[in-house]
Amino acid sequence: MPVAPTSDTSNVSQMGRGRHAGAEQTQLQILGMQRRSRCGYCHTPNGSSCFGARARLLRCSDYQALIDRGWRRSGSLLYLTDHSSSCCAYYSIRTHALSHTLQQSEKKLLRKWRRWELLGDSAPGSALDSSVVTAGRRLVVRLEPAAYSEEKYLVFERYQRAVHNDMDASRSGFQSFLCSSPLMFDDTTDGAASGRLLSRGLGSYHQCYYVDGRLAAVGVIDVLPTCVSSVYLFYDPEFSDLSLGTYSSLREIALVRELNRYVSPDIKYYYMGYFIPSCPKMTYKARWRPAELLDLVTFEWIPIDQCLERIRQHPAFCTFDPRISSRNIV
């Protein structure tokens, strides 16, 4: 969500120490309440309002604390929706990756990939086991630190044109949006398995999907102290029949499980950004069960099935705590 800087951007704050091998601390440039902009979901003119900050440096543990308070990042920009003055309600959503089981539609997708000889003749779960390199007959998946390459940019440009009708996807925009990250790599984890899975520890990564040697898709993710947070996925439109959005989510859920086993038992969750009930293209995130929504009043994670009725009663914005009246919070 792009925001416009306010006239006063000189305030730089520092948050407390997090998990990091070095001595540098988080540095934030406070932008304040941002100019209202067109909503990217319901397309209401001047419908979206948020509070913004620019991260110069950001510890992984500090960003974990922020996303557990409803914040998200776009490049180095951090933003929190102002629900008292926005058209759509945004609820952070996460999945318990360790408890997730494949649904019939997901098993069907993996069977389709096998028919196309993209995966070997293994059980459904094993097609998702390795997060570094998985080779079937034609598929290779690599997890690497987020970095620009011309190959990635060209896939991103084709994706933006075909899927979002964006004819102005520039190299500099791609670099700042999906390659440059303020997250400082946290390399304090030990062990050979940790180094194999995360070459530089916690931080921002690209999960790259190659089909017959061609880059088919890139999943942009942040690996944080308790979760894998999905930032963005883009793919070559020539591979649109592969349902890469669904498959990449399954791979990222599988990555959480591997990180939990080999890197840290605290890594348990898959964060998918915002669940927006009024936007049909964003409600698909509820399919990854068991799922929870963040209550922005109590800052507690609540099972989604307990939240949906409250949302139906208070579509503008609500708390999921029945002891608190949603009519009085915005």
Side-chain angles (χ1 to χ4, degrees):
M1 178 185 299
V3 300
T6 61
S7 57
D8 181 11
T9 59
S10 59
N11 184 16
V12 177
S13 66
Q14 293 187 337
M15 300 175 70
R17 290 178 177 269
R19 287 182 59 204
H20 195 272
E24 292 183 291
Q25 297 186 31
T26 289
Q27 297 180 9
L28 299 182
Q29 183 181 35
I30 304 302
L31 304 178
M33 194 60 67
Q34 301 303 287
R35 186 176 64 240
R36 299 178 67 85
S37 60
R38 180 176 181 268
C39 179
Y41 300 103
C42 71
H43 308 298
T44 299
N46 297 320
S48 179
S49 179
C50 69
F51 188 87
R54 184 76 62 184
R56 296 177 178 176
L57 296 173
L58 185 58
R59 289 176 179 268
C60 291
S61 57
D62 287 337
Y63 185 48
Q64 179 74 67
L66 286 170
I67 64 173
D68 283 332
R69 294 296 183 271
W71 290 76
R72 295 293 294 178
R73 78 170 184 91
S74 175
S76 63
L77 177 69
L78 304 174
Y79 57 90
L80 177 68
T81 300
D82 175 15
H83 285 96
S84 68
S85 184
S86 289
C87 49
C88 295
Y90 295 56
Y91 300 99
S92 296
I93 184 169
R94 73 180 186 184
T95 292
H96 282 263
L98 306 187
S99 302
H100 175 263
T101 57
L102 291 174
Q103 304 300 308
Q104 284 301 117
S105 60
E106 296 155 7
K107 294 177 181 178
K108 182 178 179 180
L109 171 63
L110 296 181
R111 288 196 296 269
K112 180 173 71 173
W113 277 50
R114 289 192 180 85
R115 287 198 302 271
W116 291 348
E117 300 183 344
L118 286 164
L119 300 173
D121 296 326
S122 53
S126 62
L128 303 167
D129 282 348
S130 176
S131 61
V132 180
V133 177
T134 295
R137 296 182 182 177
R138 299 194 297 167
L139 172 69
V140 174
V141 182
R142 294 193 180 98
L143 184 66
E144 60 189 48
Y148 177 92
S149 75
E150 187 69 7
E151 182 182 33
K152 293 175 186 176
Y153 165 69
L154 293 175
V155 172
F156 173 75
E157 181 189 39
R158 289 193 289 270
Y159 171 82
Q160 291 296 109
R161 285 175 177 268
V163 177
H164 296 294
N165 197 31
D166 177 7
M167 305 303 171
D168 301 313
S170 67
R171 287 172 173 81
S172 61
F174 171 63
Q175 168 77 34
S176 62
F177 176 36
L178 297 175
C179 301
S180 297
S181 170
L183 288 176
M184 295 181 283
F185 282 106
D186 179 345
D187 56 3
T188 58
T189 54
D190 297 322
S194 174
R196 179 179 66 85
L197 289 168
L198 300 175
S199 59
R200 299 185 63 185
L202 305 181
S204 298
Y205 286 85
H206 287 169
Q207 186 144 272
C208 302
Y209 300 80
Y210 295 88
V211 175
D212 284 342
R214 288 182 55 191
L215 182 62
V218 177
V220 184
I221 61 174
D222 293 330
V223 182
L224 302 174
T226 68
C227 74
V228 168
S229 175
S230 177
V231 177
Y232 201 71
L233 173 80
F234 59 93
Y235 56 83
D236 191 321
E238 288 189 25
F239 295 97
S240 59
D241 290 344
L242 295 182
S243 301
L244 284 162
T246 298
Y247 183 71
S248 66
S249 291
L250 292 175
R251 290 298 304 240
E252 289 165 9
I253 289 172
L255 174 60
V256 175
R257 293 182 173 187
E258 284 200 285
L259 296 174
N260 173 268
R261 181 177 181 182
Y262 296 114
V263 176
S264 169
D266 294 330
I267 301 176
K268 301 176 182 179
Y269 303 102
Y270 178 49
Y271 284 48
M272 297 168 284
Y274 289 128
F275 175 77
I276 304 175
S278 60
C279 181
K281 70 178 183 180
M282 299 299 286
T283 56
Y284 75 93
K285 297 179 181 182
R287 65 191 279 194
W288 308 110
R289 301 297 182 99
E292 297 176 322
L293 300 184
L294 178 66
D295 189 318
L296 284 174
V297 176
T298 64
F299 297 121
E300 295 178 347
W301 290 95
I302 309 298
I304 193 169
D305 290 333
Q306 298 179 28
C307 303
L308 295 179
E309 180 59 31
R310 292 279 289 184
I311 290 173
R312 282 190 286 268
Q313 294 172 355
H314 306 280
F317 178 71
C318 68
T319 174
F320 308 128
D321 189 331
R323 298 167 298 177
I324 303 173
S325 173
S326 293
R327 293 186 178 89
N328 300 327
I329 62 176
V330 294

